[in-house]
Amino acid sequence: MKRLLKGGRVVDPVNGIDGVQDVLIDGDRIARVGRDLPADGAEIVELRPELVVCPGFIDMHVHLREPGQEHKETVATGAAAAVAGGFTAVACMPNTSPVNDNANVTAYILGKAAEAGLARVYPIGAVSRGSKGELMADIAELRQAGCVAITDDGRPVSTALLLRRAMEYAGMFGMPVIEHCEDPSLKGDAVAHEGYQAAALGLRGMPGACEALGVERGVLLSELTGSAFHVAHMSARASLRAVRKGKEAGIAVTCEVAPHHFTLTDEALAAPVAYDTNTKMNPPLREAADRDAMLAGIADGTVDVIATDHAPHHYDEKQVEFDRAPFGIIGLETAVSLSLDRLVHAGRIRLPRLVELLSVNPARILRLPGGTLAAGAPADLTVLAPELKVRVEAAAMRSRSKNTPFDGWELRGGVAATIVGGRTLYVNSAVAGLKL
Amino acid sequence: MSAPVTTAVDEARAATALRRKDLLGIADLAPDEIALVLDTAEAMKEVGERPIKKVPALRGKTVVNLFFEPSTRTRTSFEIAEKRLSADTLNIAVASSSVVKGETLADTALNLEAMHPDTIVLRHSSSGACHLLSRICRSAIINAGDGMHEHPTQALLDAFTIRERKKRLAGLKVAIVGDLLHSRVLRSNIHLLTKMGSDVWVCGPPTLIPADIARFGVRATSRIDEAVADADVIMLLRVQLERMEGAFFPSLREYFNVFGMTEARLRLAHPDVIIMHPGPMNRGVEIASEVADGPYSVILEQVANGVAVRMAVLYLLSGGAGDEAAA
């Protein structure tokens, strides 16, 4: 079955396209992109010119919680949240229970993803068995089973030696090591960013240097091993500096920033709701200078990827004292609106750069199909409605958990539709006249 | 509905009221609210000096003292204050509560709330625990110390004691010395004293000075001689031995040598200096016994004034000014 999307603005940076063009989908593949393509028997879908057709967005950092913590999220509910948030694919972290450190767990996750039939799910395997930081996991087996990267996310790889060996070993398959950068001794039992807000609220703080030490370590080892090193959820300005210097030196380092880290600062811990546990995540919301550095890094190209670190937690788990609450917030269903509002409409970047951050670069780093509308590529498309007025409603989200600090926020820009493998899996009813 | 109160209390009441349901911290109090509490406490102090130390201000009101941390001084002080105001009081300490069975703080609070207390006085080891309670309870919440955040009634009784001795707060040099990082007493005192116009200096080893302390409007130094020079008030903070897990300084002996309040250091201060300590004291660590027991010490006056200040807070929140209780 063929479908011809006509009249939308196509933004496909890999192929240098930014303009009103038609996209011809043949089955689960892109057949052609060009001006005024002939219908040639295809079903015609008329798009209004303010809608933007992009290669499908990929969130390379989500926690789907299955197996083991299905009360927070499942592969199916997470994949549903993904398509509702404009993501055609997600890469899920291995800190499930049991940890995804062997082919059985990987296969289980992939089976659940196939059953759900929504966003594509790419598992990420553990660096070490049980993510305990002692012995390497069976990395080749994980790779064969379908893992696209390795990480001990939730914690840093325990020692420089293990990180070095993991990089060397995973480098054999061209798999990046993704690192939760943090010096554990400097973190201690901190629950917030070390600064005025933590001091005023009486919360134990971790400084930006705690993260940057981990970044520096990884950059040095990437230089030593020649293997790809990816910094997860970067938040501190000193980390950005380390990544920038590494890139200038030609080291294979990449990094991602989460929407909450380019949107919020640690002031959110004090107001509007003091000690709101939905402002507690690791790395923590940092001070304005750090947030501004993330925005600058996104604008100047140092930051490669926007990833959500989607971390669902049950209401009960968050309805506790701040220092006892788990770290993390959900992000799949707010990332695109926050990015459009805070980055594009704020004039910091233009749409092609946004597509690089959300689609092209994650596909490149994880070596995934996608990130392009070239003929033969998977028909994974994210259609944006950049002018749509969006009101964030946690209760209406597809994710099983509702732990977001953005509930009630009004943002400019949203998702119009999400197409995965040629199938339309999400259509936003708030976008007028959209028939997909 | 206004509760019957004594004439003395009526006279002491300013035109303003506490514009809040709870007392969670000093940070969100306005200077006139602080002054109202201190003025009201003066009248309450007089109640404590009578042969019959009881007024009916909180008759028929139920106050729950919910203490998740061990405390003798603060809990006793609140309890005496509540009884002098004729409230029905109930003490729940962590060991005898259902918390050991794994109940959450929120559930504990909701269960208490179901029995319609008017006020809950909460002491908890987690910063912000009172804010959590405040969001889910209709009762007035009084913070009796939450983690490293605030201990507002301590700062109020400290201010009351200073004002009683010095007749003012504005323009005084107040030096606060000790473990600044972990101290809720410090945070409440900084907020209160800077709001009331005092010149606040804080002093401790750099490992125990919170980040960005200058943004609190205080002068920070690790040179104790500089901190106490010409000080009108010196307030020592407890070195919290139980929180020194991370080796913040080499030894207690060295701490005393560098930061301990000795008679020699006392001579650098203003001739009329007063020495304060929120207790419990570590003699020979943050304060020499000769100083603690010496003529400049007002440490026991602080304890005495604690009852009057807590009476004022209880009264103003649950029976006196404001109309939340009538809802």
Side-chain angles (χ1 to χ4, degrees), chain B residues 82-247:
Chain B
E82 290 150 10
K83 293 198 153 119
R84 287 192 181 160
L85 292 172
S86 306
D88 296 316
T89 71
L90 177 71
N91 294 311
I92 302 176
V94 67
S96 60
S97 79
S98 55
V99 171
V100 290
K101 296 175 199 148
E103 190 173 64
T104 65
L105 175 62
D107 280 337
T108 301
L110 287 172
N111 277 280
L112 281 176
E113 181 81 351
M115 295 180 261
H116 301 298
D118 298 280
T119 302
I120 297 174
V121 178
L122 180 70
R123 157 73 60 96
H124 198 284
S125 61
S126 291
S127 301
C130 299
H131 294 72
L132 176 63
L133 244 61
S134 155
R135 284 198 290 276
I136 58 183
C137 291
R138 283 179 64 252
S139 319
I141 307 297
I142 297 178
N143 183 355
D146 65 325
M148 309 188 300
H149 174 232
E150 282 225 39
H151 190 356
T153 58
Q154 178 71 44
L156 288 163
L157 75 88
D158 290 341
F160 183 87
T161 306
I162 297 170
R163 204 177 73 159
E164 204 171 48
R165 282 300 192 112
K166 302 287 182 188
K167 307 300 171 206
R168 64 192 169 107
L169 294 168
L172 296 177
K173 178 177 178 182
V174 182
I176 308 177
V177 183
D179 175 358
L180 311 173
L181 184 63
H182 300 104
S183 176
R184 53 194 174 212
V185 174
L186 172 84
R187 286 164 176 79
S188 288
N189 264 300
I190 285 180
H191 290 310
L192 191 150
L193 293 167
T194 54
K195 281 173 199 278
M196 302 309 274
S198 305
D199 176 24
V200 182
W201 289 63
V202 298
C203 177
T207 51
L208 289 172
I209 298 181
D212 257 346
I213 188 81
R215 269 184 70 185
F216 289 87
V218 301
R219 305 273 297 270
T221 177
S222 288
R223 293 203 301 273
I224 188 163
D225 291 357
E226 186 186 18
V228 302
D230 278 324
D232 299 288
V233 177
I234 298 172
M235 190 181 290
L236 287 326
L237 296 176
R238 175 179 168 76
V239 172
Q240 310 207 14
L241 302 174
E242 70 274 17
R243 285 181 176 149
M244 289 297 112
E245 68 282 270

Side-chain angles (χ1 to χ4, degrees), chain A residues 91-436:
Chain A
C92 59
M93 290 292 156
N95 62 338
T96 46
S97 179
V99 169
N100 184 12
D101 63 358
N102 66 75
N104 288 337
V105 178
T106 307
Y108 179 85
I109 294 167
L110 288 172
K112 290 289 177 184
E115 233 171 75
L118 295 164
R120 298 178 198 273
V121 175
Y122 296 105
I124 295 172
V127 165
S128 61
R129 292 184 203 170
S131 281
K132 289 199 172 100
E134 291 158 7
L135 304 167
M136 260 194 275
D138 293 327
I139 294 168
E141 181 187 296
L142 287 167
R143 165 78 176 165
Q144 270 186 331
C147 287
V148 295
I150 54 170
T151 185
D152 275 349
D153 184 55
R155 63 183 83 163
V157 173
S158 61
T159 66
L161 180 65
L162 180 61
L163 181 57
R164 174 198 178 165
R165 298 247 161 97
M167 280 187 184
E168 286 173 338
Y169 199 82
M172 159 166 80
F173 312 108
M175 282 166 99
V177 175
I178 299 173
E179 174 75 331
H180 171 118
C181 296
E182 172 182 295
D183 180 280
S185 70
L186 212 46
K187 174 177 177 262
D189 51 7
V191 298
H193 170 65
E194 182 177 301
Y196 173 76
Q197 294 299 340
L201 293 166
L203 298 172
R204 287 167 201 268
M206 59 187 109
C210 170
E211 176 184 283
L213 275 170
V215 176
E216 299 272 13
R217 180 180 83 159
V219 170
L220 286 169
L221 293 176
S222 175
E223 181 179 31
L224 179 68
T225 61
S227 296
F229 175 69
H230 180 77
V231 179
H233 45 51
M234 187 172 72
S235 64
R237 58 193 191 271
S239 303
L240 183 77
R241 194 171 63 215
V243 168
R244 191 177 279 143
K245 275 166 50 191
K247 288 185 165 190
E248 282 165 7
I251 298 166
V253 56
T254 53
C255 66
E256 73 195 26
V257 171
H260 49 269
H261 285 130
F262 67 66
T263 302
L264 298 171
T265 67
D266 57 358
E267 288 180 22
L269 275 66
V273 178
Y275 299 97
D276 181 354
T277 54
N278 287 332
T279 62
K280 179 178 175 181
M281 63 286 285
N282 186 21
L285 297 176
R286 298 201 185 270
E287 58 202 55
D290 291 302
R291 193 265 318 268
D292 294 347
M294 295 308 110
L295 288 168
I298 287 167
D300 71 17
T302 308
V303 173
D304 299 280
V305 169
I306 293 169
T308 64
D309 193 10
H310 178 81
H313 291 293
H314 193 271
Y315 168 84
D316 288 342
E317 295 162 324
K318 281 288 199 180
Q319 177 73 348
V320 295
E321 300 88 322
F322 192 90
D323 55 0
R324 295 179 192 193
F327 291 106
I329 60 168
I330 55 171
L332 280 168
E333 293 169 80
T334 47
V336 167
S337 287
L338 286 166
S339 299
L340 285 167
D341 189 288
R342 298 298 156 132
L343 302 177
V344 177
H345 292 310
R348 296 175 197 282
I349 61 171
R350 295 157 61 84
L351 273 173
R353 170 74 180 134
L354 185 72
V355 174
E356 286 176 9
L357 290 159
L358 283 164
S359 178
V360 177
N361 292 344
R364 175 174 54 83
I365 291 165
L366 297 178
R367 302 186 177 198
L368 306 178
T372 172
L373 298 182
D380 291 2
L381 301 169
T382 299
V383 183
L384 300 176
E387 297 303 327
L388 185 70
K389 282 196 168 68
V390 171
R391 186 184 155 83
V392 177
E393 246 188 287
M397 287 184 183
R398 309 287 209 281
S399 175
R400 181 161 283 184
S401 294
K402 315 296 177 195
N403 52 311
T404 172
F406 301 114
D407 192 25
W409 280 42
E410 288 180 358
L411 298 166
R412 182 172 158 208
V415 177
T418 309
I419 298 170
V420 181
R423 296 185 303 138
T424 304
L425 296 181
Y426 173 74
V427 177
N428 188 344
S429 57
V431 178
L434 187 61
K435 289 202 184 74
L436 261 167

